[in-house]
Structure formats: C-alpha cells, structure tokens
Amino acid sequence: GIQVEQSPPDLILQEGANSTLRCNFSDSVNNLQWFHQNPWGQLINLFYIPSGTKQNGRLSATTVATERYSLLYISSSQTTDSGVYFCAVERGDSWGKLQFGAGTQVVVTP
Amino acid sequence: NAGVTQTPKFQVLKTGQSMTLQCAQDMNHEYMSWYRQDPGMGLRLIHYSVGAGITDQGEVPNGYNVSRSTTEDFPLRLLSAAPSQTSVYFCASSADGHNSPLHFGNGTRLTVT
C-alpha cells in the first residue's frame, strides 16, 4: 500500500506561535485530506486538498501532488488547537480506501 | 443535520459475544466506512460501502461483517468478539468517497474482556 509519513511526530507550541506540519506520501494520489482529533477524541475534517492551497481562518494547507507532499500551517496557535493532526490519502487505483498517517501530536501551552 | 451518529458510545463485551455497532448519517451520502483506532497504529480501514447494496473490504476486515441495506445506515457486526478487537471504532461518510470531505461520527469505545 501507499506509505504516509507525517512529521514531526510531536510538537509543543506556546500560544501565539506559528507551525508547519508535513505529510509525505509514496505514490501519486487523487484524494488528500487533513483532520484534527481533539482531546475528546472527535475527528474533524479540516481540508479536502488533493492539490493547491486552501485557507480556513488561522489554518491553511498546501498540497504539491507532483512532489508528493502536503503542508498544514497553523498560525497564531491557540490552546484549542491542541490534539492530533492526521493526513489521509487515497491512491488512484484504491478508490474509497483513504489511508491515514500516524499523526502529529500538537500541544499548545498558554 | 445530526451528521454521522454512532451508537453506543461505550460497550464492554466478553470474549465470544456478538454485537452490532450502529452508524447512521442524514446527509444522503453515498459513501460510508468503518475505521478502528488503536494506540500507535493510527486509523485503519475495516470495511467501506460506495452505496446501498455495495460493500468492500478495507485493510483489516477479519472478524467483522457489514451490510448496507439503506443509504442512511451502515452497521458493523462482530460475530465472536476477541480481545484483539478492543479499540475505538469510528464510522465516517462522504458524498462520494472520492472527491469530497470525509465526516466522522464521535466513535464507539469497545472493550473485550
């Protein structure tokens, strides 16, 4: 199957700091999504972004499909940004099979 | 809209017992799927469905059955629970499973003793 690697595995931020999370994948994909799992375990879809750049408030994401990576930017972090951020990808010949990376654990301290 | 609703939230089973995890969505989504989440293993796909009457296996299907008789419902059945099936189970749906965002339910925490 496709390999999905997220970095860094852990990140500690002070409130107000900016950060970049990275997702590398080993094959061409036609579906890439970012999710946030909050400390209560809820999984929230942040972006559907197979290519290009999108922004939603303090979060933005960029996917460079030809170079097989995606970046998630968190600006002016808040304590509510704490949790685990997952990248998930789907290969072109694996329709319906979204495969998740191991996640980046983010802790934002006041 | 309630989105994706999973029941129950928590369940404890003894080895060998059977049960069904329920999942319903009210967004008229064609695609539905089940994942399990284990510490250090991330989320792994169990089964998925691209429409009523159509199901297929994911990465870890053994020990689980699914069916999709309606667009709204996608139950996950454990026929004979094993301790290895202790996990948090998430149901998810999207409009088409391919070109649209995936939305998750709040999960079911299952313990098999």
PDB file of all heavy atoms in Angstrom, chain B residues 50-69:
ATOM      1  N   VAL B  50     -19.849   1.989  -1.077  1.00  0.00           N
ATOM      2  CA  VAL B  50     -19.975   3.116  -2.007  1.00  0.00           C
ATOM      3  C   VAL B  50     -21.431   3.379  -2.378  1.00  0.00           C
ATOM      4  O   VAL B  50     -21.718   4.234  -3.211  1.00  0.00           O
ATOM      5  CB  VAL B  50     -19.114   2.908  -3.265  1.00  0.00           C
ATOM      6  CG1 VAL B  50     -17.652   2.802  -2.891  1.00  0.00           C
ATOM      7  CG2 VAL B  50     -19.575   1.695  -4.041  1.00  0.00           C
ATOM      8  N   GLY B  51     -22.327   2.629  -1.763  1.00  0.00           N
ATOM      9  CA  GLY B  51     -23.749   2.853  -1.997  1.00  0.00           C
ATOM     10  C   GLY B  51     -24.546   1.686  -1.436  1.00  0.00           C
ATOM     11  O   GLY B  51     -23.969   0.643  -1.081  1.00  0.00           O
ATOM     12  N   ALA B  52     -25.837   1.856  -1.356  1.00  0.00           N
ATOM     13  CA  ALA B  52     -26.701   0.792  -0.831  1.00  0.00           C
ATOM     14  C   ALA B  52     -26.499  -0.486  -1.623  1.00  0.00           C
ATOM     15  O   ALA B  52     -26.489  -0.470  -2.868  1.00  0.00           O
ATOM     16  CB  ALA B  52     -28.163   1.230  -0.870  1.00  0.00           C
ATOM     17  N   GLY B  53     -26.301  -1.585  -0.890  1.00  0.00           N
ATOM     18  CA  GLY B  53     -26.123  -2.889  -1.517  1.00  0.00           C
ATOM     19  C   GLY B  53     -24.704  -3.218  -1.938  1.00  0.00           C
ATOM     20  O   GLY B  53     -24.434  -4.318  -2.410  1.00  0.00           O
ATOM     21  N   ILE B  54     -23.770  -2.271  -1.735  1.00  0.00           N
ATOM     22  CA  ILE B  54     -22.381  -2.464  -2.173  1.00  0.00           C
ATOM     23  C   ILE B  54     -21.443  -2.267  -0.988  1.00  0.00           C
ATOM     24  O   ILE B  54     -21.440  -1.204  -0.363  1.00  0.00           O
ATOM     25  CB  ILE B  54     -22.005  -1.458  -3.273  1.00  0.00           C
ATOM     26  CG1 ILE B  54     -23.001  -1.517  -4.431  1.00  0.00           C
ATOM     27  CG2 ILE B  54     -20.588  -1.725  -3.768  1.00  0.00           C
ATOM     28  CD1 ILE B  54     -22.851  -0.381  -5.418  1.00  0.00           C
ATOM     29  N   THR B  55     -20.663  -3.309  -0.664  1.00  0.00           N
ATOM     30  CA  THR B  55     -19.659  -3.186   0.382  1.00  0.00           C
ATOM     31  C   THR B  55     -18.355  -3.809  -0.097  1.00  0.00           C
ATOM     32  O   THR B  55     -18.355  -4.645  -1.013  1.00  0.00           O
ATOM     33  CB  THR B  55     -20.089  -3.874   1.690  1.00  0.00           C
ATOM     34  OG1 THR B  55     -20.221  -5.281   1.454  1.00  0.00           O
ATOM     35  CG2 THR B  55     -21.415  -3.326   2.195  1.00  0.00           C
ATOM     36  N   ASP B  56     -17.271  -3.417   0.543  1.00  0.00           N
ATOM     37  CA  ASP B  56     -15.963  -3.962   0.188  1.00  0.00           C
ATOM     38  C   ASP B  56     -15.066  -3.919   1.409  1.00  0.00           C
ATOM     39  O   ASP B  56     -15.341  -3.215   2.391  1.00  0.00           O
ATOM     40  CB  ASP B  56     -15.336  -3.177  -0.959  1.00  0.00           C
ATOM     41  CG  ASP B  56     -14.352  -4.019  -1.760  1.00  0.00           C
ATOM     42  OD1 ASP B  56     -13.949  -5.108  -1.277  1.00  0.00           O
ATOM     43  OD2 ASP B  56     -13.981  -3.594  -2.864  1.00  0.00           O
ATOM     44  N   GLN B  57     -13.989  -4.711   1.353  1.00  0.00           N
ATOM     45  CA  GLN B  57     -13.087  -4.827   2.479  1.00  0.00           C
ATOM     46  C   GLN B  57     -12.027  -3.746   2.452  1.00  0.00           C
ATOM     47  O   GLN B  57     -11.555  -3.331   1.399  1.00  0.00           O
ATOM     48  CB  GLN B  57     -12.408  -6.205   2.454  1.00  0.00           C
ATOM     49  CG  GLN B  57     -13.365  -7.359   2.609  1.00  0.00           C
ATOM     50  CD  GLN B  57     -12.643  -8.695   2.614  1.00  0.00           C
ATOM     51  OE1 GLN B  57     -11.465  -8.777   2.285  1.00  0.00           O
ATOM     52  NE2 GLN B  57     -13.351  -9.746   2.982  1.00  0.00           N
ATOM     53  N   GLY B  58     -11.634  -3.340   3.664  1.00  0.00           N
ATOM     54  CA  GLY B  58     -10.527  -2.431   3.810  1.00  0.00           C
ATOM     55  C   GLY B  58      -9.267  -3.172   4.194  1.00  0.00           C
ATOM     56  O   GLY B  58      -9.049  -4.326   3.801  1.00  0.00           O
ATOM     57  N   GLU B  59      -8.470  -2.526   5.026  1.00  0.00           N
ATOM     58  CA  GLU B  59      -7.163  -3.063   5.413  1.00  0.00           C
ATOM     59  C   GLU B  59      -7.255  -4.187   6.448  1.00  0.00           C
ATOM     60  O   GLU B  59      -6.472  -5.127   6.425  1.00  0.00           O
ATOM     61  CB  GLU B  59      -6.332  -1.909   5.968  1.00  0.00           C
ATOM     62  CG  GLU B  59      -4.922  -2.262   6.394  1.00  0.00           C
ATOM     63  CD  GLU B  59      -4.204  -1.086   7.035  1.00  0.00           C
ATOM     64  OE1 GLU B  59      -4.778   0.036   7.072  1.00  0.00           O
ATOM     65  OE2 GLU B  59      -3.077  -1.267   7.538  1.00  0.00           O
ATOM     66  N   VAL B  60      -8.227  -4.095   7.380  1.00  0.00           N
ATOM     67  CA  VAL B  60      -8.324  -5.052   8.495  1.00  0.00           C
ATOM     68  C   VAL B  60      -9.739  -5.589   8.630  1.00  0.00           C
ATOM     69  O   VAL B  60     -10.418  -5.365   9.634  1.00  0.00           O
ATOM     70  CB  VAL B  60      -7.841  -4.416   9.814  1.00  0.00           C
ATOM     71  CG1 VAL B  60      -6.338  -4.243   9.815  1.00  0.00           C
ATOM     72  CG2 VAL B  60      -8.544  -3.078  10.072  1.00  0.00           C
ATOM     73  N   PRO B  61     -10.269  -6.366   7.657  1.00  0.00           N
ATOM     74  CA  PRO B  61     -11.671  -6.778   7.682  1.00  0.00           C
ATOM     75  C   PRO B  61     -11.981  -8.009   8.522  1.00  0.00           C
ATOM     76  O   PRO B  61     -13.159  -8.265   8.829  1.00  0.00           O
ATOM     77  CB  PRO B  61     -11.935  -7.076   6.201  1.00  0.00           C
ATOM     78  CG  PRO B  61     -10.615  -7.572   5.695  1.00  0.00           C
ATOM     79  CD  PRO B  61      -9.574  -6.776   6.436  1.00  0.00           C
ATOM     80  N   ASN B  62     -10.951  -8.802   8.881  1.00  0.00           N
ATOM     81  CA  ASN B  62     -11.215 -10.091   9.519  1.00  0.00           C
ATOM     82  C   ASN B  62     -11.889  -9.919  10.877  1.00  0.00           C
ATOM     83  O   ASN B  62     -11.455  -9.145  11.714  1.00  0.00           O
ATOM     84  CB  ASN B  62      -9.912 -10.873   9.679  1.00  0.00           C
ATOM     85  CG  ASN B  62      -9.357 -11.315   8.343  1.00  0.00           C
ATOM     86  OD1 ASN B  62     -10.064 -11.348   7.345  1.00  0.00           O
ATOM     87  ND2 ASN B  62      -8.073 -11.623   8.320  1.00  0.00           N
ATOM     88  N   GLY B  63     -12.958 -10.696  11.091  1.00  0.00           N
ATOM     89  CA  GLY B  63     -13.693 -10.651  12.347  1.00  0.00           C
ATOM     90  C   GLY B  63     -14.865  -9.688  12.334  1.00  0.00           C
ATOM     91  O   GLY B  63     -15.581  -9.586  13.337  1.00  0.00           O
ATOM     92  N   TYR B  64     -15.066  -9.006  11.218  1.00  0.00           N
ATOM     93  CA  TYR B  64     -16.130  -8.010  11.105  1.00  0.00           C
ATOM     94  C   TYR B  64     -16.978  -8.266   9.854  1.00  0.00           C
ATOM     95  O   TYR B  64     -16.447  -8.636   8.816  1.00  0.00           O
ATOM     96  CB  TYR B  64     -15.552  -6.591  10.999  1.00  0.00           C
ATOM     97  CG  TYR B  64     -14.576  -6.215  12.067  1.00  0.00           C
ATOM     98  CD1 TYR B  64     -13.203  -6.362  11.861  1.00  0.00           C
ATOM     99  CD2 TYR B  64     -15.006  -5.695  13.287  1.00  0.00           C
ATOM    100  CE1 TYR B  64     -12.298  -6.003  12.835  1.00  0.00           C
ATOM    101  CE2 TYR B  64     -14.095  -5.332  14.274  1.00  0.00           C
ATOM    102  CZ  TYR B  64     -12.741  -5.488  14.033  1.00  0.00           C
ATOM    103  OH  TYR B  64     -11.846  -5.139  15.010  1.00  0.00           O
ATOM    104  N   ASN B  65     -18.288  -8.037  10.004  1.00  0.00           N
ATOM    105  CA  ASN B  65     -19.197  -8.083   8.854  1.00  0.00           C
ATOM    106  C   ASN B  65     -19.940  -6.766   8.733  1.00  0.00           C
ATOM    107  O   ASN B  65     -20.207  -6.106   9.751  1.00  0.00           O
ATOM    108  CB  ASN B  65     -20.231  -9.204   9.021  1.00  0.00           C
ATOM    109  CG  ASN B  65     -19.658 -10.558   8.680  1.00  0.00           C
ATOM    110  OD1 ASN B  65     -18.549 -10.667   8.166  1.00  0.00           O
ATOM    111  ND2 ASN B  65     -20.419 -11.595   8.967  1.00  0.00           N
ATOM    112  N   VAL B  66     -20.283  -6.416   7.509  1.00  0.00           N
ATOM    113  CA  VAL B  66     -21.080  -5.213   7.275  1.00  0.00           C
ATOM    114  C   VAL B  66     -22.146  -5.521   6.234  1.00  0.00           C
ATOM    115  O   VAL B  66     -22.050  -6.484   5.474  1.00  0.00           O
ATOM    116  CB  VAL B  66     -20.241  -4.017   6.791  1.00  0.00           C
ATOM    117  CG1 VAL B  66     -19.286  -3.515   7.866  1.00  0.00           C
ATOM    118  CG2 VAL B  66     -19.484  -4.370   5.511  1.00  0.00           C
ATOM    119  N   SER B  67     -23.146  -4.658   6.201  1.00  0.00           N
ATOM    120  CA  SER B  67     -24.147  -4.680   5.145  1.00  0.00           C
ATOM    121  C   SER B  67     -24.634  -3.254   4.958  1.00  0.00           C
ATOM    122  O   SER B  67     -24.496  -2.414   5.863  1.00  0.00           O
ATOM    123  CB  SER B  67     -25.312  -5.614   5.501  1.00  0.00           C
ATOM    124  OG  SER B  67     -25.937  -5.177   6.692  1.00  0.00           O
ATOM    125  N   ARG B  68     -25.223  -2.966   3.812  1.00  0.00           N
ATOM    126  CA  ARG B  68     -25.724  -1.614   3.536  1.00  0.00           C
ATOM    127  C   ARG B  68     -27.060  -1.759   2.814  1.00  0.00           C
ATOM    128  O   ARG B  68     -27.137  -1.742   1.594  1.00  0.00           O
ATOM    129  CB  ARG B  68     -24.716  -0.850   2.674  1.00  0.00           C
ATOM    130  CG  ARG B  68     -25.122   0.609   2.435  1.00  0.00           C
ATOM    131  CD  ARG B  68     -24.437   1.547   3.356  1.00  0.00           C
ATOM    132  NE  ARG B  68     -24.797   2.932   3.112  1.00  0.00           N
ATOM    133  CZ  ARG B  68     -24.104   3.735   2.277  1.00  0.00           C
ATOM    134  NH1 ARG B  68     -23.059   3.251   1.612  1.00  0.00           N
ATOM    135  NH2 ARG B  68     -24.481   4.983   2.121  1.00  0.00           N
ATOM    136  N   SER B  69     -28.103  -1.903   3.614  1.00  0.00           N
ATOM    137  CA  SER B  69     -29.431  -2.091   3.017  1.00  0.00           C
ATOM    138  C   SER B  69     -30.085  -0.753   2.688  1.00  0.00           C
ATOM    139  O   SER B  69     -30.996  -0.701   1.847  1.00  0.00           O
ATOM    140  CB  SER B  69     -30.321  -2.906   3.941  1.00  0.00           C
ATOM    141  OG  SER B  69     -30.386  -2.304   5.212  1.00  0.00           O
TER     142      SER B  69
END
